[in-house]
Each structure stands twice: as C-alpha cells, then as structure tokens.
Amino acid sequence: MLNEVDREHQNVLSLEDPIEYNIEGMSQSQVQPEIGYTFATGLRTTLRQDPDVIMVGEIRDKETAQLAIQAALTGHLVLSTIHTNSATGVIPRLVDMGIDPYLIGPTLILAMAQRLTLTLCPEGGAAIPVEGSIKLMIDKQFSDLPKKYLDEVEFTDKVYKANPSADCPNGTRGRMAVMEVMEMDKDLEAVILKNANEIEISKVVRAKGMMTMKEDALIKAMHRIIPFEEANML
C-alpha cells in the first residue's frame, strides 16, 4: 500500500517495529519501547511533523488506537495492522480497546485480512473433480452469498492439488496471499453505532457481497493457482 502512495508530493511517515523494508521517498522510524519510544509516543511526535500519510506498524493498545483515530479524523491517511482473525473482527477489536463506536464509522475506510498460502508450480497440480464431499463443502461455503454476487464467481468443475515433479519436487513454489476486504459504508456505520457484534457485522457485509479468505482460496484452487489442501485448511 505504501508503494502505491504518492511519496513525491506527500509527506509520508512510518513507525515500525522492526523496519522490514526500506522504502524510498518516505521517513521511516524504528520504535524502541525499552527507552519509552513506543507506537503511541512516536505517533504523537509524528503528528507534529505535518504528515499526509502515516503508517503505524501495529495498533497494540488503547492509547495508540485513540491517537490513530484522532489522526484519521483530522484528515490524515492512517495505515496500520491490528491482530484479528478476520476483516470484520477489526471493529470489535477497536471497541475492546476503548474506541467509541461513533468514531469508527467516520474514520475506518476499509479493513483487509490476509493469510499466505503456498502456490502451485507453473502448469503444475493434479486435478481433483469437484464432486462428493468437496462439492458439498464448496456449496455450503458459498450458500449465503447473494445470487447477484454468486453469479460473478467463476466456478470450475475441478480443484488442483500439489503434484511433485522433477522440476518442482514439492509441487509448490513461492507464496501468495488470500484475502478478504471489508469496506465501510452507511449501512455498516449504522450497525456499528448499535454496538453490533462480529456476527451481525458479518451479515451486513456478506449481504453486500464480501467474500472470505477461504472463498478466495477456493476460487484460486479452482483456477490452478494454489493447492486445494491450502484452501481446505483455512
């Protein structure tokens, strides 16, 4: 995401622990909790430098969450990570940290969850027919996706499993992210104001066509991108 930001015309700052990639055109800072330079104190200092975009490595506590929300309210684009199992889990997590629900709607643009999976070697993978228990599992997984979104999914009659070869001993090479993205809108904002739990939030975004990481993985397994075994473990 930082690579997509206009770093030439915008002031882009980051607070990281640790700094994993050096990105040209932005100011990166390593937090050091042992000397009192935490994400919260660093964010407070960063806001005095008139940034346009702020990347906070991780929101770990109430103070950091509150500062990030305040920065977003005053017009800064704030990117960060937070520990949850899903994209919809971000909202209850922020509430648990002490963020008032009425502040989440105006500041949260989108939440994305991802996991890394193995990828099949080019032109690799052994086909498995989508039938029996596999078909039942896929049908159940997509059963609550509204039809207008379901019609856009490119289902196939096969999934692919890793198939070792001389050129590719494990049948896989490299990794790929499977993702789910929750986008804020007025309907979701209204539900948040009612202190909805994650299940209720999931129903709202599902009705608007949001697909889960598992579904993303299943589609990729059907299109010979990742092994079916990886999708089945999610």
Side-chain angles (χ1 to χ4, degrees), residues 4-65:
E4 297 300 317
V5 170
D6 181 3
R7 302 187 301 280
E8 184 175 342
H9 299 96
Q10 292 184 313
N11 185 15
V12 184
L13 306 176
S14 76
L15 298 163
E16 304 176 57
D17 184 23
I19 296 174
E20 297 178 5
Y21 301 95
N22 292 315
I23 302 176
E24 188 177 348
M26 63 178 284
S27 176
Q28 296 174 267
S29 181
Q30 167 75 53
V31 301
Q32 295 184 6
E34 62 272 13
I35 62 170
Y37 184 52
T38 62
F39 282 117
T41 55
L43 186 51
R44 199 176 282 110
T45 303
T46 295
L47 289 170
R48 299 192 186 105
Q49 299 177 40
D50 192 27
D52 298 299
V53 182
I54 308 167
M55 197 283 279
V56 182
E58 184 184 341
I59 294 177
R60 296 175 177 170
D61 52 49
K62 179 179 179 179
E63 187 179 9
T64 306

Side-chain angles (χ1 to χ4, degrees), residues 141-165:
Q141 182 65 45
F142 287 90
S143 62
D144 62 340
L145 185 66
K147 187 178 185 304
K148 66 177 180 178
Y149 301 109
L150 195 62
D151 290 342
E152 297 176 3
V153 179
E154 295 182 10
F155 291 104
T156 69
D157 59 357
K158 297 183 183 70
V159 291
Y160 293 83
K161 66 177 182 178
N163 185 34
S165 66

